[in-house]
Structures are given as C-alpha cells and as structure tokens.
C-alpha cells in the first residue's frame, strides 16, 4: 500500500493515480453505505503531504461524476458503470476525467488506467477499460 507521510517523495504520477484511485474507491464505499465523511480527511489519510494533482483530480472526478458516468455508459457495451466493482469504477472514472477535463496526453491517460487495472482487475476488465477510454478518445476528443 502506498501511503505518503511528510518527508516521503514520489517517483512518478503513477503512484499518485493509485492514491487517487484508493480515495475515490473509499468515497464510493462510503456513499453506498451512506456513511458521512470529510473528503479532505480521506485525502490526508492517504497522502499527508499536500499534493495539488491528487486533490484536484479527486475533487474533479467527484464534481463531474454524473457526466463521467454518462460517458462511460455511452461507450460500455451491454454494461453500465454502476455494475462494475467500485475499484474498476474508480479507475475508469479517473481515466475519463483526465481525458475530458485535463491536458494530460491521451496516450498517458489510457496507459495509466490500463496499468492500474492490470494491478487491481482481471483481464476482461482491463480490456473493457482500454476499449472505453480508446472509444472516448476517438469519438469525443480527437475530433475537437
């Protein structure tokens, strides 16, 4: 488990995305169980050192979750995002958020999502996440 404390340093954004995924997963669990939580505290539990990328991405995913879900559902074949397990939902949500709302190169976004899903999901889900993100890129972004 990656958990950063003061004095720790990160090697790359891949580790930060894993932290983001864990925070979003926690939020999804807490929302499903209707337990109250403080988002800033959840973030601080995972990364004690303030990190704008983590905070902005977590808050961006959560603030745009309805639009992210609509896009996911548009490109999931015979499936909906709410049927995925919460880890897979978090990974796909981060990928869609970064594709649509950030300037991160699409190849980086898709590769990072695939690597996270390889670590936490089975092969079918890895392929599904890759397909959805690739379709969103080609249909929603490439033509802008």
């Amino acid at each position: 488990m990656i958990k950063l404390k003061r004095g720790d340093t990160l090697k790359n954004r891949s580790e930060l995305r894993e932290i983001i995924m864990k925070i979003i997963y926690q939020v999804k669990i807490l929302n499903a169980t209707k337990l109250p939580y403080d988002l800033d505290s959840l973030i601080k539990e995972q990364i004690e050192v303030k990190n704008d990328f983590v905070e902005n991405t977590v808050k961006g995913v959560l603030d745009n979750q309805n639009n992210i879900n609509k896009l996911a559902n548009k490109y999931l074949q015979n499936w909906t995002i709410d049927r995925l397990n919460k880890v897979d939902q978090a990974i796909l949500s981060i990928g869609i958020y970064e594709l649509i709302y950030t300037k991160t190169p699409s190849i980086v976004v898709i590769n990072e999502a695939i690597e996270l899903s390889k670590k936490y999901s089975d092969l079918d889900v890895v392929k599904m996440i890759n397909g959805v993100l690739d379709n969103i890129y080609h249909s929603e972004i490439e033509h802008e």
Side-chain angles (χ1 to χ4, degrees):
M1 175 178 172
I2 298 172
K3 186 170 180 181
L4 294 179
K5 297 186 169 141
R6 298 205 184 284
D8 289 350
T9 58
L10 287 177
K11 294 178 185 159
N12 56 44
R13 285 206 169 177
S14 297
E15 293 174 335
L16 292 175
R17 284 183 180 89
E18 186 171 352
I19 289 168
I20 293 164
M21 185 265 310
K22 290 176 182 180
I23 295 165
I24 292 178
Y25 168 80
Q26 286 180 303
V27 168
K28 289 183 176 295
I29 293 292
L30 291 166
N31 285 342
T33 57
K34 300 190 183 335
L35 291 171
Y37 63 90
D38 176 64
L39 184 58
D40 291 327
S41 296
L42 288 179
I43 292 170
K44 191 167 179 137
E45 284 175 18
Q46 290 296 321
I47 182 165
E48 292 179 8
V49 179
K50 181 172 173 39
N51 184 287
D52 290 338
F53 176 70
V54 171
E55 288 183 25
N56 293 339
T57 304
V58 167
K59 290 175 181 177
V61 168
L62 297 175
D63 289 346
N64 294 287
Q65 193 67 67
N66 287 338
N67 190 41
I68 289 167
N69 289 351
K70 285 178 191 171
L71 269 173
N73 291 338
K74 181 177 176 180
Y75 293 99
L76 281 165
Q77 296 178 348
N78 303 318
W79 209 256
T80 58
I81 192 168
D82 61 315
R83 290 179 61 198
L84 297 173
N85 74 46
K86 294 193 180 355
V87 170
D88 298 332
Q89 288 178 31
I91 294 168
L92 186 56
S93 293
I94 294 164
I96 293 171
Y97 171 77
E98 283 197 274
L99 276 177
I100 300 296
Y101 298 100
T102 72
K103 294 183 190 294
T104 306
S106 59
I107 188 78
V108 172
V109 171
I110 294 169
N111 285 338
E112 291 285 330
I114 290 168
E115 290 306 312
L116 261 180
S117 62
K118 282 180 182 176
K119 187 171 181 179
Y120 289 97
S121 305
D122 64 39
L123 185 57
D124 289 336
V125 175
V126 173
K127 290 177 184 176
M128 180 188 301
I129 288 173
N130 182 28
V132 169
L133 294 177
D134 191 56
N135 283 330
I136 290 171
Y137 169 71
H138 288 294
S139 300
E140 305 286 334
I141 298 165
E142 193 174 53
H143 302 294
E144 287 182 354

